Amino acid sequence: METSGAHGSVKISGFSVVPIKFEDNSQASHILYFKEHSLHRDDSRPKGRSLFIANIPPYCTQEALGRIFSEFGVVQSAYFSEDEPQKTTLNKNSNKNLNTSIYFPDSTSVEKKKCFRMGYIIYKDKSSLNKALSSPYEKPFIISTKSNPVLTGMSKWQKEYTVETVNANALQDEIDQYMESYDSKLNQQLEEEKDKEGVADDEGWVTVTKHGKMKPTPRTAVNQKKLSKKERKRKKERELLNFYTFQIKQEKQDRIATLRQKFEEDKERITQMKAARKFKPY
Protein backbone atom coordinates (compact mmCIF):
# COMPACT_ATOMS: atom_id res chain seq x y z
CA MET A 1 0.00 0.00 0.00
CA GLU A 2 1.19 3.48 -0.87
CA THR A 3 -0.05 6.73 0.66
CA SER A 4 0.68 10.03 -1.05
CA GLY A 5 -0.61 13.56 -1.42
CA ALA A 6 -1.79 16.18 1.03
CA HIS A 7 -5.27 14.69 1.20
CA GLY A 8 -4.03 11.17 1.86
CA SER A 9 -4.78 9.35 -1.41
CA VAL A 10 -4.13 5.61 -1.21
CA LYS A 11 -2.77 3.39 -3.98
CA ILE A 12 -2.54 -0.41 -4.13
CA SER A 13 -0.67 -2.07 -7.02
CA GLY A 14 -1.09 1.02 -9.18
CA PHE A 15 -4.80 1.43 -8.35
CA SER A 16 -6.21 4.41 -6.51
CA VAL A 17 -8.42 3.21 -3.66
CA VAL A 18 -11.52 5.02 -2.34
CA PRO A 19 -14.45 3.62 -0.32
CA ILE A 20 -17.90 3.78 -1.89
CA LYS A 21 -21.19 3.79 0.05
CA PHE A 22 -24.79 3.61 -1.04
CA GLU A 23 -25.91 6.55 1.12
CA ASP A 24 -24.13 9.07 3.28
CA ASN A 25 -25.45 7.49 6.48
CA SER A 26 -24.67 3.91 5.41
CA GLN A 27 -22.46 1.99 7.82
CA ALA A 28 -21.19 -0.55 5.28
CA SER A 29 -19.01 0.34 2.33
CA HIS A 30 -17.08 -1.25 -0.51
CA ILE A 31 -13.70 -0.39 -1.99
CA LEU A 32 -13.47 1.11 -5.47
CA TYR A 33 -10.26 0.56 -7.47
CA PHE A 34 -9.41 2.78 -10.42
CA LYS A 35 -6.41 3.80 -12.50
CA GLU A 36 -5.55 5.28 -15.88
CA HIS A 37 -6.57 2.85 -18.58
CA SER A 38 -3.69 1.11 -20.39
CA LEU A 39 -4.36 1.27 -24.11
CA HIS A 40 -4.04 -1.81 -26.30
CA ARG A 41 -3.37 -2.08 -30.02
CA ASP A 42 -7.04 -2.02 -31.11
CA ASP A 43 -8.23 0.20 -28.28
CA SER A 44 -10.35 3.16 -29.37
CA ARG A 45 -10.42 4.96 -26.02
CA PRO A 46 -8.57 8.30 -25.88
CA LYS A 47 -5.12 8.18 -24.35
CA GLY A 48 -4.61 10.14 -21.12
CA ARG A 49 -8.36 10.70 -20.58
CA SER A 50 -9.63 7.16 -19.91
CA LEU A 51 -10.16 5.88 -16.38
CA PHE A 52 -10.57 2.15 -15.65
CA ILE A 53 -12.69 1.29 -12.60
CA ALA A 54 -13.00 -2.10 -10.88
CA ASN A 55 -15.17 -3.56 -8.09
CA ILE A 56 -18.21 -1.41 -8.88
CA PRO A 57 -21.13 -2.53 -6.66
CA PRO A 58 -24.15 -4.02 -8.47
CA TYR A 59 -26.47 -1.32 -7.10
CA CYS A 60 -24.38 1.45 -8.71
CA THR A 61 -26.06 2.75 -11.87
CA GLN A 62 -24.38 4.20 -14.92
CA GLU A 63 -25.78 7.65 -14.13
CA ALA A 64 -24.44 7.43 -10.57
CA LEU A 65 -21.01 6.34 -11.80
CA GLY A 66 -20.72 9.33 -14.12
CA ARG A 67 -22.02 11.70 -11.42
CA ILE A 68 -19.48 10.47 -8.83
CA PHE A 69 -16.49 11.12 -11.07
CA SER A 70 -17.89 14.35 -12.56
CA GLU A 71 -16.70 16.24 -9.47
CA PHE A 72 -13.16 16.00 -10.87
CA GLY A 73 -14.02 17.35 -14.32
CA VAL A 74 -16.31 17.11 -17.32
CA VAL A 75 -17.20 13.48 -18.12
CA GLN A 76 -17.75 12.72 -21.80
CA SER A 77 -19.02 9.19 -21.23
CA ALA A 78 -19.43 6.66 -18.45
CA TYR A 79 -20.31 3.01 -19.06
CA PHE A 80 -19.82 -0.50 -17.72
CA SER A 81 -17.62 -3.01 -19.54
CA GLU A 82 -20.59 -5.09 -20.76
CA ASP A 83 -22.22 -1.93 -22.18
CA GLU A 84 -19.08 -0.85 -24.03
CA PRO A 85 -19.79 0.47 -27.55
CA GLN A 86 -18.57 -2.05 -30.12
CA LYS A 87 -16.23 -0.88 -32.87
CA THR A 88 -17.79 -2.04 -36.15
CA THR A 89 -17.00 -1.49 -39.81
CA LEU A 90 -19.99 0.11 -41.52
CA ASN A 91 -20.95 -0.76 -45.08
CA LYS A 92 -23.98 -0.30 -47.26
CA ASN A 93 -25.76 -3.21 -45.60
CA SER A 94 -24.72 -2.35 -42.03
CA ASN A 95 -28.10 -0.92 -41.11
CA LYS A 96 -29.68 -4.28 -41.92
CA ASN A 97 -27.29 -6.17 -39.70
CA LEU A 98 -27.73 -4.02 -36.60
CA ASN A 99 -30.11 -5.60 -34.13
CA THR A 100 -32.75 -3.12 -32.94
CA SER A 101 -35.02 -5.76 -31.49
CA ILE A 102 -36.53 -5.17 -28.07
CA TYR A 103 -38.35 -8.43 -27.46
CA PHE A 104 -36.19 -10.72 -29.61
CA PRO A 105 -32.50 -9.99 -28.95
CA ASP A 106 -29.97 -11.83 -31.11
CA SER A 107 -27.19 -14.18 -30.00
CA THR A 108 -24.73 -11.28 -29.57
CA SER A 109 -26.84 -9.68 -26.86
CA VAL A 110 -25.22 -9.89 -23.43
CA GLU A 111 -27.37 -10.57 -20.40
CA LYS A 112 -26.58 -8.11 -17.62
CA LYS A 113 -25.53 -9.89 -14.45
CA LYS A 114 -26.14 -8.51 -10.97
CA CYS A 115 -22.59 -8.66 -9.67
CA PHE A 116 -19.58 -6.44 -9.07
CA ARG A 117 -18.55 -4.98 -12.40
CA MET A 118 -15.90 -2.97 -14.20
CA GLY A 119 -16.40 0.32 -15.96
CA TYR A 120 -14.80 3.24 -17.77
CA ILE A 121 -14.88 7.02 -17.44
CA ILE A 122 -13.84 9.18 -20.40
CA TYR A 123 -12.90 12.72 -19.37
CA LYS A 124 -12.80 15.78 -21.59
CA ASP A 125 -9.25 16.69 -20.55
CA LYS A 126 -6.30 14.98 -18.90
CA SER A 127 -6.23 17.24 -15.82
CA SER A 128 -9.57 15.80 -14.71
CA LEU A 129 -8.07 12.31 -14.83
CA ASN A 130 -5.16 13.38 -12.62
CA LYS A 131 -7.57 14.92 -10.10
CA ALA A 132 -9.55 11.69 -9.95
CA LEU A 133 -6.40 9.63 -9.35
CA SER A 134 -5.53 11.91 -6.43
CA SER A 135 -8.92 11.63 -4.70
CA PRO A 136 -8.54 11.22 -0.90
CA TYR A 137 -9.31 7.94 0.82
CA GLU A 138 -11.06 9.71 3.71
CA LYS A 139 -13.81 11.05 1.44
CA PRO A 140 -15.93 8.10 0.27
CA PHE A 141 -18.02 8.22 -2.88
CA ILE A 142 -21.80 8.35 -2.35
CA ILE A 143 -24.04 6.57 -4.88
CA SER A 144 -27.51 7.73 -3.81
CA THR A 145 -28.08 11.35 -2.75
CA LYS A 146 -31.19 13.39 -1.99
CA SER A 147 -30.95 15.24 -5.28
CA ASN A 148 -30.09 12.07 -7.25
CA PRO A 149 -31.65 9.08 -5.47
CA VAL A 150 -31.09 5.51 -6.66
CA LEU A 151 -34.22 3.38 -6.45
CA THR A 152 -34.14 0.28 -4.24
CA GLY A 153 -36.59 -2.23 -2.85
CA MET A 154 -40.25 -1.95 -3.84
CA SER A 155 -39.77 1.21 -5.91
CA LYS A 156 -37.03 -0.42 -7.96
CA TRP A 157 -39.09 -3.57 -8.53
CA GLN A 158 -42.10 -1.55 -9.60
CA LYS A 159 -40.02 0.35 -12.14
CA GLU A 160 -38.43 -2.87 -13.47
CA TYR A 161 -41.87 -4.47 -13.76
CA THR A 162 -43.20 -1.47 -15.67
CA VAL A 163 -40.23 -1.49 -18.03
CA GLU A 164 -40.38 -5.25 -18.62
CA THR A 165 -44.15 -5.33 -19.24
CA VAL A 166 -44.75 -6.35 -22.86
CA ASN A 167 -46.53 -3.85 -25.05
CA ALA A 168 -48.77 -5.96 -27.30
CA ASN A 169 -48.83 -3.40 -30.14
CA ALA A 170 -45.06 -2.90 -30.07
CA LEU A 171 -44.54 -6.67 -29.97
CA GLN A 172 -46.84 -7.19 -32.97
CA ASP A 173 -45.06 -4.43 -34.91
CA GLU A 174 -41.71 -6.04 -34.21
CA ILE A 175 -42.99 -9.46 -35.31
CA ASP A 176 -44.36 -7.96 -38.53
CA GLN A 177 -41.06 -6.21 -39.25
CA TYR A 178 -39.11 -9.40 -38.59
CA MET A 179 -41.33 -11.51 -40.86
CA GLU A 180 -41.20 -8.86 -43.59
CA SER A 181 -37.42 -8.82 -43.40
CA TYR A 182 -37.32 -12.64 -43.41
CA ASP A 183 -39.60 -12.89 -46.47
CA SER A 184 -37.50 -10.29 -48.26
CA LYS A 185 -34.30 -12.25 -47.58
CA LEU A 186 -35.99 -15.48 -48.67
CA ASN A 187 -37.17 -13.97 -51.96
CA GLN A 188 -33.75 -12.48 -52.60
CA GLN A 189 -32.11 -15.86 -51.98
CA LEU A 190 -34.63 -17.51 -54.30
CA GLU A 191 -33.87 -15.04 -57.11
CA GLU A 192 -30.13 -15.56 -56.67
CA GLU A 193 -30.53 -19.34 -56.89
CA LYS A 194 -32.65 -19.03 -60.03
CA ASP A 195 -30.02 -16.80 -61.63
CA LYS A 196 -27.30 -19.37 -60.86
CA GLU A 197 -29.31 -22.34 -62.22
CA GLY A 198 -27.59 -23.80 -65.29
CA VAL A 199 -24.94 -21.05 -65.43
CA ALA A 200 -21.34 -22.23 -65.48
CA ASP A 201 -18.76 -20.44 -63.37
CA ASP A 202 -15.19 -19.53 -64.37
CA GLU A 203 -14.02 -23.12 -63.93
CA GLY A 204 -16.92 -24.65 -65.83
CA TRP A 205 -18.88 -25.92 -62.85
CA VAL A 206 -22.66 -25.63 -63.06
CA THR A 207 -24.64 -24.92 -59.89
CA VAL A 208 -27.64 -27.20 -59.51
CA THR A 209 -30.48 -25.91 -57.34
CA LYS A 210 -33.94 -27.16 -56.45
CA HIS A 211 -35.50 -24.56 -58.75
CA GLY A 212 -34.42 -26.21 -62.02
CA LYS A 213 -36.60 -27.99 -64.61
CA MET A 214 -36.01 -31.38 -63.02
CA LYS A 215 -37.91 -31.39 -59.74
CA PRO A 216 -36.29 -33.27 -56.84
CA THR A 217 -37.69 -36.71 -55.92
CA PRO A 218 -39.33 -36.93 -52.48
CA ARG A 219 -37.47 -39.21 -50.07
CA THR A 220 -40.30 -41.67 -49.44
CA ALA A 221 -39.96 -45.40 -48.69
CA VAL A 222 -41.36 -46.36 -52.11
CA ASN A 223 -39.00 -44.03 -53.98
CA GLN A 224 -36.04 -45.22 -51.94
CA LYS A 225 -36.90 -48.82 -52.85
CA LYS A 226 -37.10 -47.93 -56.55
CA LEU A 227 -33.79 -46.11 -56.40
CA SER A 228 -32.15 -49.07 -54.66
CA LYS A 229 -33.47 -51.44 -57.31
CA LYS A 230 -32.21 -49.22 -60.12
CA GLU A 231 -28.86 -48.88 -58.40
CA ARG A 232 -28.48 -52.66 -58.09
CA LYS A 233 -29.39 -53.12 -61.76
CA ARG A 234 -26.96 -50.40 -62.81
CA LYS A 235 -24.23 -51.94 -60.67
CA LYS A 236 -24.87 -55.38 -62.18
CA GLU A 237 -24.58 -53.97 -65.70
CA ARG A 238 -21.25 -52.41 -64.85
CA GLU A 239 -19.77 -55.72 -63.67
CA LEU A 240 -17.27 -57.41 -65.99
CA LEU A 241 -18.55 -60.89 -66.89
CA ASN A 242 -16.27 -63.72 -68.17
CA PHE A 243 -13.22 -61.55 -67.75
CA TYR A 244 -11.06 -64.22 -66.11
CA THR A 245 -10.42 -67.82 -67.30
CA PHE A 246 -11.93 -69.39 -64.19
CA GLN A 247 -15.12 -67.37 -64.83
CA ILE A 248 -15.43 -68.79 -68.38
CA LYS A 249 -14.85 -72.35 -67.08
CA GLN A 250 -17.36 -71.91 -64.28
CA GLU A 251 -19.96 -70.55 -66.69
CA LYS A 252 -19.59 -73.60 -68.98
CA GLN A 253 -19.97 -75.95 -66.04
CA ASP A 254 -23.08 -74.14 -64.86
CA ARG A 255 -24.60 -74.26 -68.37
CA ILE A 256 -23.96 -78.01 -68.70
CA ALA A 257 -25.43 -78.66 -65.24
CA THR A 258 -28.51 -76.68 -66.21
CA LEU A 259 -28.95 -78.60 -69.49
CA ARG A 260 -28.61 -81.95 -67.70
CA GLN A 261 -31.18 -80.98 -65.10
CA LYS A 262 -33.58 -79.86 -67.84
CA PHE A 263 -33.02 -83.13 -69.77
CA GLU A 264 -33.83 -85.23 -66.70
CA GLU A 265 -36.97 -83.18 -66.07
CA ASP A 266 -38.08 -83.71 -69.72
CA LYS A 267 -37.50 -87.51 -69.47
CA GLU A 268 -39.57 -87.70 -66.29
CA ARG A 269 -42.38 -85.74 -67.88
CA ILE A 270 -42.43 -88.02 -70.99
CA THR A 271 -42.58 -91.11 -68.77
CA GLN A 272 -45.54 -89.70 -66.87
CA MET A 273 -47.34 -88.89 -70.13
CA LYS A 274 -46.82 -92.47 -71.46
CA ALA A 275 -48.09 -94.01 -68.24
CA ALA A 276 -51.21 -91.89 -68.31
CA ARG A 277 -52.06 -92.89 -71.95
CA LYS A 278 -54.70 -95.72 -72.35
CA PHE A 279 -55.64 -97.88 -75.42
CA LYS A 280 -59.39 -97.51 -76.21
CA PRO A 281 -60.25 -99.09 -79.61
CA TYR A 282 -64.03 -98.89 -79.12
Side-chain angles (χ1 to χ4, degrees):
M1 181 186 299
E2 300 178 2
T3 305
S4 61
H7 301 287
S9 60
V10 177
K11 294 183 180 295
I12 298 178
S13 301
F15 284 89
S16 297
V17 180
V18 176
I20 183 170
K21 299 194 299 183
F22 182 74
E23 293 179 335
D24 191 21
N25 56 355
S26 299
Q27 298 296 326
S29 64
H30 295 284
I31 301 298
L32 210 62
Y33 302 90
F34 51 95
K35 67 175 183 178
E36 182 179 353
H37 175 63
S38 301
L39 298 180
H40 302 287
R41 180 180 298 177
D42 298 330
D43 206 328
S44 59
R45 301 181 190 89
K47 184 178 181 181
R49 297 189 289 114
S50 303
L51 188 70
F52 170 71
I53 311 166
N55 203 42
I56 303 173
Y59 48 79
C60 181
T61 62
Q62 183 173 329
E63 181 275 332
L65 183 67
R67 173 172 47 80
I68 288 172
F69 284 92
S70 63
E71 64 174 288
F72 306 109
V74 179
V75 175
Q76 283 189 344
S77 60
Y79 52 87
F80 299 114
S81 57
E82 63 267 24
D83 300 328
E84 180 177 359
Q86 298 295 326
K87 184 178 180 182
T88 57
T89 303
L90 299 179
N91 51 43
K92 60 181 181 180
N93 296 325
S94 62
N95 56 341
K96 299 180 181 179
N97 298 329
L98 294 177
N99 179 43
T100 58
S101 175
I102 300 175
Y103 302 104
F104 302 99
D106 59 9
S107 58
T108 60
S109 301
V110 180
E111 181 181 358
K112 296 182 180 180
K113 298 180 180 180
K114 296 181 180 179
C115 58
F116 284 80
R117 296 176 287 181
M118 298 178 293
Y120 297 92
I121 295 291
I122 309 299
Y123 281 109
K124 188 176 181 179
D125 50 53
K126 189 174 182 179
S127 60
S128 302
L129 178 69
N130 296 330
K131 292 178 182 178
L133 295 175
S134 303
S135 55
Y137 182 86
E138 294 79 9
K139 186 180 178 182
F141 297 140
I142 307 300
I143 294 176
S144 181
T145 61
K146 292 182 178 180
S147 58
N148 297 282
V150 176
L151 297 179
T152 58
M154 188 63 69
S155 302
K156 179 184 178 182
W157 296 336
Q158 289 177 348
K159 183 178 179 181
E160 290 178 351
Y161 176 79
T162 303
V163 172
E164 293 176 359
T165 301
V166 176
N167 187 325
N169 295 329
L171 177 60
Q172 186 61 49
D173 292 342
E174 187 169 335
I175 293 175
D176 294 340
Q177 291 177 6
Y178 176 84
M179 294 306 301
E180 183 180 352
S181 175
Y182 175 79
D183 292 338
S184 177
K185 290 180 181 179
L186 198 63
N187 293 333
Q188 183 179 0
Q189 183 179 0
L190 179 62
E191 294 298 328
E192 291 178 355
E193 290 181 356
K194 287 183 178 180
D195 294 339
K196 291 180 181 179
E197 178 66 33
V199 179
D201 58 10
D202 297 338
E203 298 180 356
W205 294 96
V206 178
T207 303
V208 179
T209 66
K210 60 182 179 181
H211 308 292
K213 295 181 180 179
M214 298 295 293
K215 298 298 179 182
T217 305
R219 289 183 174 271
T220 60
V222 178
N223 291 333
Q224 288 294 111
K225 190 175 181 179
K226 291 181 180 179
L227 291 174
S228 300
K229 187 176 180 180
K230 289 181 179 179
E231 184 64 25
R232 287 196 300 269
K233 184 178 179 181
R234 193 179 299 112
K235 184 176 180 182
K236 188 176 181 180
E237 292 174 353
R238 289 198 302 264
E239 291 180 352
L240 295 175
L241 301 178
N242 301 333
F243 184 77
Y244 296 101
T245 304
F246 76 91
Q247 290 179 331
I248 299 174
K249 185 178 180 180
Q250 184 66 35
E251 185 187 7
K252 289 182 179 180
Q253 292 177 354
D254 294 342
R255 189 184 303 115
I256 294 172
T258 303
L259 291 174
R260 285 176 178 174
Q261 183 180 359
K262 188 176 180 181
F263 177 71
E264 294 296 332
E265 291 175 355
D266 291 343
K267 283 175 62 177
E268 184 179 357
R269 187 165 58 253
I270 292 171
T271 303
Q272 292 176 356
M273 291 173 64
K274 286 180 178 181
R277 188 171 55 185
K278 293 181 181 181
F279 180 68
K280 296 179 180 180
Y282 302 104

